[in-house]
Amino acid sequence: MCAALVLVFVALSAAVASAQVPLLDAVADAADDAEVRSADARPVGAASTVIDDDTDDAIRSSLRRRYDQLGGLKTVAVEVDAGIVMLRGPVLGDDLAGQAVALAEATEGVVLVIDRIEVVINVRQRLAPTLAEAARRLQTVLSYLPLLLLALVLLGVFAWLSRAVRRWDSLFRRLFRNALARDLARQTASVLVLLAGILVALELLDATALVGAVLGTAGIIGLAVGFAFRDLVENYIASVLLSVRQPFAASDFVAIDDHEGKVVRLTSRATILMTFDGNHLRIPNSQVFKGVVLNYSRNPLRRFGFTVGVGVGEDLRAAQQLGVDVLHATEGVLDEPGPLAFVESLGDSSVVVRFFAWIDQTEASFVHVRSESILRVKQALEAAGMDLPEPIYRLHLTRGAELLAASDETDAPATARSTSTMPDADPAPTAYVSAQEAEDAIERQIAAERARADGDDLLQQDAPQE
């Protein structure tokens, strides 16, 4: 298409030039007075050989052949007598006149060069070569018109094939299951078909040099664009690889480097997460592809743990067994693998016992089951009379006992007043929101976001996942 447009432009330019010939002739008629520049004789030096008629003829023939080969010196007449060369005739510039004299001086046997060349500035004569060249190019364009029309027809056929390939969705659906890879392959095939048509058209017009120039320019431009838009290209390639690999699915709870949240969607530029605070988190796909991705939702089985501080005087084995029994009875906790407990450390005022249990994330909510387990274990230990001590601190006072006692006496009435102003009845209880309800609220927001995505999501449920 580009080559055809260039050829049409050249044809139009030549037509405009030929249309301007009458106007230029009128200007030439008004400027027929020509100015002539004549030069003096230029001695070359004594000839080293005998000069005769044969030598003069040889010099004349040699110069004539040379001048005829140069288009601008055909009008120069050559006269030779006893090695003396006289040059006459009009030329269109000082450079041509100097070239004619230089050729004569360099010819063997020339003794002297007499320059009588006229440098013409007549408008008609100066325009004649230009108009002749324009006419020649116009004739060339006209002779190429049948090939140009054939090239345009071929280009139209390849353009139609390119659009047909782009609309051939069934073929690419069988070849590629991933939506982004399918669209990329379809667009690439369409562009290749169109480029093939352009190359065929240019080859038909014998414009192979233009093909090389275009390909070289495209390579340089592509390199420059690659450096300028390196991050965009890297993001796009990462999007293709992530959509093929699918390291997470929609609503999966993931941690990407230092960011955590549930996956909303994967676009061609970024991965969208929703934090548990309801905030949108956009992470560039290049960072996701190169980063560490921890998917909490991929494996259905997931373990949770928590610690409980038990008094140092309590029966630790009984506390462990009681907590494990409570976990077995908690809804959502799996029997296999079953709950377990072990003594983790000895604290300042208590012994730290850690409990573990497993859940199936496809059947129960991780956050809800963990919350219920902690609540029930605490209640069971307290109901069994076990001490769950708070941290105890001992203060040793060595000075200022009298000042401390006086301070206690002064603060006593204030303490009494403060106690007497406290309300007798407990405040009205507020509505209780469970962990399950909070997680369901996040899931509803994610579903609403995915519905508003309008197809801009590369995550597919039926695509293979890592």
Side-chain angles (χ1 to χ4, degrees), residues 287-421:
Q287 181 178 343
V288 176
F289 183 75
K290 294 185 294 186
V292 177
V293 179
L294 176 59
N295 193 334
Y296 294 100
S297 304
R298 179 54 56 87
N299 186 13
L301 299 184
R302 184 178 176 187
R303 191 182 75 168
F304 66 87
F306 59 92
T307 59
V308 177
V310 181
V312 295
E314 301 295 338
D315 186 352
L316 298 180
R317 295 191 181 278
Q320 290 177 267
Q321 187 61 47
L322 178 59
V324 169
D325 293 341
V326 171
L327 290 176
H328 271 294
T330 303
E331 183 179 1
V333 174
L334 297 178
D335 293 330
E336 183 61 37
L340 59 92
F342 62 88
V343 177
E344 184 176 78
S345 63
L346 181 63
D348 295 334
S349 56
S350 63
V351 179
V352 179
V353 180
R354 180 173 291 275
F355 294 91
F356 290 101
W358 290 82
I359 68 167
D360 186 349
Q361 297 186 93
T362 61
E363 302 292 337
S365 168
F366 176 85
V367 177
H368 175 70
V369 175
R370 183 176 184 274
S371 175
E372 286 295 318
S373 298
I374 296 174
L375 177 63
R376 294 188 180 192
V377 168
K378 176 180 179 298
Q379 291 176 347
L381 292 177
E382 290 177 341
M386 292 192 176
D387 182 23
L388 305 179
E390 298 176 354
I392 300 175
Y393 301 95
R394 295 182 180 181
L395 301 178
H396 297 274
L397 301 178
T398 57
R399 294 185 302 173
E402 297 83 359
L403 182 60
L404 180 61
S407 175
D408 291 340
E409 293 177 358
T410 306
D411 293 341
T415 303
R417 287 194 300 271
S418 175
T419 304
S420 62
T421 57

Side-chain angles (χ1 to χ4, degrees), residues 3 130 174 226 271 290 401 409 452:
T130 302
R174 288 195 298 268
T271 299
K290 294 185 294 186
E409 293 177 358
R452 289 196 298 267

Side-chain angles (χ1 to χ4, degrees), residues 169 172-173 176-186 460:
D169 190 62
F172 293 98
R173 282 188 178 276
F176 302 95
R177 299 183 60 183
N178 181 263
L180 182 60
R182 183 168 58 249
D183 292 339
L184 181 62
R186 183 166 50 233
Q460 298 178 339

Side-chain angles (χ1 to χ4, degrees), residues 52-115:
D52 53 17
D53 293 339
D54 293 338
T55 304
D56 292 341
D57 292 339
I59 294 173
R60 185 184 303 105
S61 299
S62 176
L63 289 176
R64 186 72 271 159
R65 286 195 305 270
R66 296 179 184 179
Y67 291 167
D68 289 343
Q69 290 176 358
L70 300 175
L73 299 180
K74 289 182 178 181
T75 57
V76 177
V78 181
E79 298 178 6
V80 183
D81 186 11
I84 300 174
V85 178
M86 180 176 291
L87 303 178
R88 299 177 184 272
V91 294
L92 298 180
D94 288 331
D95 54 340
L96 291 175
Q99 188 176 5
V101 173
L103 288 174
E105 291 175 347
T107 302
E108 184 179 359
V110 175
V111 178
L112 179 65
V113 177
I114 300 176
D115 183 5

